[in-house]
């Protein structure tokens, strides 16, 4: 083992006046976020760029004690090192520390007190320009016995800010809340989801279902529903039919699933006589907020179409591209997924992918950049794409992932959610109005994001490009 694999102290007897040690760190935005998370110091001067521009320094700066922590690191790991007991510390903050600054924290022994093995050390943090940002003095009890231990490996830490969902919700705040028929909100979670969205000014809920059960759910959830319209229905099937009827009549511009089964709601939606079908194939899309991934990932279809045909996949892609446009992706990169990135006659999904790309070349699918077949790794990882020698504007940079069937999509979305810590906001596309699908397992943030996406789609519908169908068949 090299010396770097061990951590070793210096005892009081080994230390001389004038001895010094230091550590250097480059401040990143992640450092600031982690310090705020651990300390609870969420002062917007350190976290909110808009607020910081109005504050004294007019930019985000580090917490002062982040630099103090570097001094502590030198004392605890270098001089004196393991076994050191902190007794006191003075600090004076002379300059702000900005993201990207390289800070060197150093300590220098200025006094030794044999009684109690006490050391006094000058402490200083200096930036890459040689400017002192922190100065002070530490008093510690130095160890009297030698310690040499293997240096422990720190865990990897991911910072999940979910800024993408926050920005989506902020985009809706300039407009009016949208009338939304909520089908059978008869559980506390379903009722709370609708009311929370109303309180965030995303929707105006019309609660459709058995009145007694809705009021009981509101009481359980601790929500006041006195200001919302309630449309009585006998049971869940009746609630789905009446909620769809509210959309058909124009009283509601969105449809939201409550505590009924998805099949019940979609049965009413796809009814040829009284439903909400258009010339487009109805499909489902998740807008995934994946920790560590720089952009939202749209995954489709993971909930509606079990084994879509080539024609149906074309509509699924068109729906997803329209969604991407609405959430601010002007020319979405669409990866058509399979198990491999080459066309294989024995894998039908690769043949579909190749045909869909040719359809895009011929203008039959527009508004996005398509490539496929692509395996999941080379769709989202530029390194994986390079390793396979794939040269493509989509490979490694995909924003829409089109899965071969519902099973693959459902497993992919749930793996990202439960193993990767992702949030999945779901919406149904291709009907007369967007349909909000939420799950009991969804966080409040995810439920609000689903409503925000649907609201943005509803507001964009009157301005949709020619060819985006609005009339039922």
């Amino acid at each position: 083992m090299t010396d770097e694999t061990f951590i070793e102290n210096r005892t009081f007897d080994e230390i001389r006046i004038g001895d010094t040690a230091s550590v250097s760190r480059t401040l990143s935005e992640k450092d600031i976020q982690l310090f705020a998370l651990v300390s609870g110091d969420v002062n917007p001067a350190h976290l909110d760029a808009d607020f910081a521009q109005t504050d004294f320094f007019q930019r985000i700066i580090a917490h002062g004690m982040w630099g103090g922590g570097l001094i502590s690191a030198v004392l605890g790991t270098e001089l004196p090192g393991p076994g050191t007991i902190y007794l006191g510390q003075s600090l004076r903050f002379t300059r702000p520390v900005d993201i990207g600054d390289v800070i060197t924290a150093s300590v220098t022994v200025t006094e030794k007190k044999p009684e109690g093995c006490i050391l006094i050390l000058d402490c200083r943090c200096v930036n890459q320009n040689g400017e002192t940002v922190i100065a002070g003095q530490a008093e510690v009890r130095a160890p009297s016995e030698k310690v040499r231990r293997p240096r422990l490996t720190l865990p990897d830490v991911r910072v999940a800010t979910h800024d993408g969902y926050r920005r989506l919700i902020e985009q809706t705040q300039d407009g009016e809340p949208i009338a939304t028929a909520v089908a059978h909100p008869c559980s506390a979670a379903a009722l709370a989801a609708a009311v929370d969205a109303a309180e965030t000014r995303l929707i105006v809920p019309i609660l459709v279902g058995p009145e007694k059960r809705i009021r009981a759910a509101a009481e359980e959830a601790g929500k006041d529903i006195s200001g919302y319209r309630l449309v009585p229905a006998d049971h869940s099937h009746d609630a789905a039919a009446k909620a769809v009827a509210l959309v058909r009549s124009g009283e509601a511009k969105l449809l939201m699933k409550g505590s009924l089964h998805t099949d019940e709601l979609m049965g009413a939606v796809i009814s040829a006589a009284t439903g909400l079908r258009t010339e487009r194939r109805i499909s489902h899309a998740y807008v995934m907020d994946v920790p560590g991934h720089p952009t939202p990932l749209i995954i489709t279809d993971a909930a509606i179409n079990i084994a879509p045909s080539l024609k149906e996949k074309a509509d699924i892609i068109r729906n997803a591209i329209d969604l991407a446009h609405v959430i601010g992706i002007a020319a979405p990169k669409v990866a058509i997924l399979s198990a491999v990135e080459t066309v294989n006659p024995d894998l039908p999904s690769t043949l579909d992918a190749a045909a869909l790309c040719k359809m895009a070349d011929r203008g039959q699918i527009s508004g996005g950049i398509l490539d496929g077949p692509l395996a999941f790794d080379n769709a989202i990882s530029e390194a994986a794409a390079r390793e396979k020698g794939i040269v493509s504007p989509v490979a490694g940079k995909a924003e829409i992932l089109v899965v071969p069937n519902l099973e693959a999509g459902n497993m992919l979305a749930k793996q990202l959610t439960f193993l990767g810590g992702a949030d999945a906001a779901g919406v149904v596309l291709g009907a007369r109005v967007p349909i909000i699908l939420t799950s009991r397992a969804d966080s409040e943030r995810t439920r609000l994001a689903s409503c925000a996406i649907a609201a943005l789609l509803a507001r964009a519908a009157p301005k949709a490009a020619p060819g985006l169908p609005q009339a039922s068949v």
Side-chain angles (χ1 to χ4, degrees):
M1 288 186 179
T2 64
D3 288 343
E4 288 76 16
T5 63
F6 284 89
I7 184 168
E8 184 174 353
N9 69 0
R10 296 165 70 178
T11 66
F12 181 84
D13 291 339
E14 292 174 328
I15 294 171
R16 299 289 180 264
I17 291 176
D19 285 354
T20 187
S22 64
V23 299
S24 294
R25 297 286 187 275
T26 301
L27 178 71
S28 68
E29 182 181 13
K30 181 179 177 181
D31 291 327
I32 294 176
Q33 293 167 342
L34 287 172
F35 190 92
L37 181 66
V38 172
S39 67
D41 183 352
V42 293
N43 182 341
H46 308 302
L47 300 168
D48 186 333
D50 293 335
F51 173 85
Q53 288 179 353
T54 68
D55 203 25
F56 183 80
F57 293 107
Q58 299 184 323
R59 62 189 187 276
I60 285 179
I61 61 172
H63 301 77
M65 291 308 297
W66 178 81
L70 295 186
I71 292 172
S72 177
V74 182
L75 295 170
T77 64
E78 301 290 340
L79 179 66
T84 300
I85 304 297
Y86 234 141
L87 299 177
Q89 177 76 61
S90 67
L91 295 172
R92 182 172 179 80
F93 303 93
T94 56
R95 286 179 178 272
V97 176
D98 297 328
I99 293 173
D101 279 354
V102 180
I103 303 300
T104 299
S106 61
V107 301
T108 303
V109 179
T110 59
E111 186 178 350
K112 292 182 68 175
K113 300 178 180 180
E115 186 176 350
C117 297
I118 304 301
L119 296 179
I120 306 298
L121 302 99
D122 176 74
C123 306
R124 197 165 299 274
C125 289
V126 178
N127 65 19
Q128 67 276 9
N129 299 318
E131 300 165 326
T132 298
V133 297
I134 300 175
Q137 187 179 78
E139 181 180 358
V140 303
R141 177 176 288 117
S144 58
E145 296 182 358
K146 197 70 177 170
V147 175
R148 189 171 191 266
R149 303 280 299 173
R151 188 181 292 267
L152 298 179
T153 302
L154 293 175
D156 292 330
V157 178
R158 294 180 302 174
V159 177
T161 60
H162 301 287
D163 283 343
Y165 281 1
R166 177 181 57 79
R167 287 192 291 268
L168 283 175
I169 294 169
E170 287 175 352
Q171 286 179 47
T172 69
Q173 297 305 293
D174 292 338
E176 292 298 316
I178 296 178
T180 302
V182 186
H184 205 255
C186 294
S187 69
L191 194 286
V195 176
D196 289 343
E199 292 173 346
T200 312
R201 298 191 71 255
L202 297 172
I203 68 172
V204 177
I206 304 171
L207 308 175
V208 186
E211 183 172 352
K212 288 184 178 179
R213 293 188 62 187
I214 291 175
R215 295 194 184 281
E219 184 175 352
E220 182 183 349
K223 298 293 184 180
D224 179 9
I225 60 171
S226 60
Y228 306 125
R229 179 181 171 190
L230 200 157
V231 176
D234 294 334
H235 43 68
S236 57
H237 281 82
D238 189 36
K242 288 181 175 177
V244 168
L246 288 169
V247 173
R248 287 178 63 90
S249 70
E251 295 175 75
K253 302 298 183 183
L254 291 175
L255 182 62
M256 182 174 183
K257 174 181 173 289
S259 56
L260 75 175
H261 290 294
T262 299
D263 289 349
E264 292 180 273
L265 181 61
M266 294 310 299
V269 168
I270 65 174
S271 168
T274 59
L276 303 176
R277 296 176 67 178
T278 70
E279 62 190 40
R280 280 275 182 90
R281 179 75 179 182
I282 290 174
S283 62
H284 176 274
Y286 279 122
V287 179
M288 306 287 298
D289 188 0
V290 183
H293 195 75
T295 60
L297 277 178
I298 298 174
I299 296 177
T300 188
D301 181 336
I304 300 293
N305 292 282
I306 296 174
S309 65
L310 176 63
K311 180 181 178 180
E312 291 163 351
K313 286 180 180 178
D315 267 352
I316 289 169
I317 293 171
R318 294 183 185 109
N319 288 340
I321 289 173
D322 290 340
L323 168 59
H325 291 167
V326 166
I327 66 173
I329 306 173
K333 301 175 182 66
V334 183
I336 306 165
L337 298 186
S338 184
V340 295
E341 60 280 347
T342 54
V343 176
N344 184 336
D346 294 327
L347 277 176
S349 60
T350 67
L351 301 176
D352 282 353
L356 290 163
C357 290
K358 183 53 66 177
M359 290 173 71
D361 290 343
R362 296 289 187 266
Q364 293 171 269
I365 301 172
S366 61
I369 305 168
L370 276 63
D371 194 13
L374 289 170
F376 177 75
D377 57 347
N378 46 58
I380 65 164
S381 167
E382 292 187 65
R386 283 195 300 270
E387 182 69 23
K388 291 289 185 73
I390 301 171
V391 179
S392 159
V394 175
K397 299 180 287 288
E399 293 154 321
I400 298 174
L401 302 177
V402 181
V403 297
N405 54 45
L406 183 146
E407 293 165 309
N410 193 272
M411 285 187 278
L412 174 57
K414 288 182 177 176
Q415 284 168 349
L416 289 173
T417 299
F418 291 99
L419 294 179
D423 279 345
V427 63
V428 173
L429 310 162
R432 284 197 195 184
V433 299
I435 302 168
I436 303 161
L437 288 188
T438 59
S439 165
R440 287 171 295 179
D442 287 345
S443 65
E444 179 183 359
R445 177 178 57 247
T446 300
R447 294 196 298 265
L448 292 177
S450 297
C451 293
I453 292 164
L456 291 171
L457 285 162
R459 289 174 187 168
K463 300 176 289 184
L468 180 63
Q470 299 297 324
S472 67
V473 295

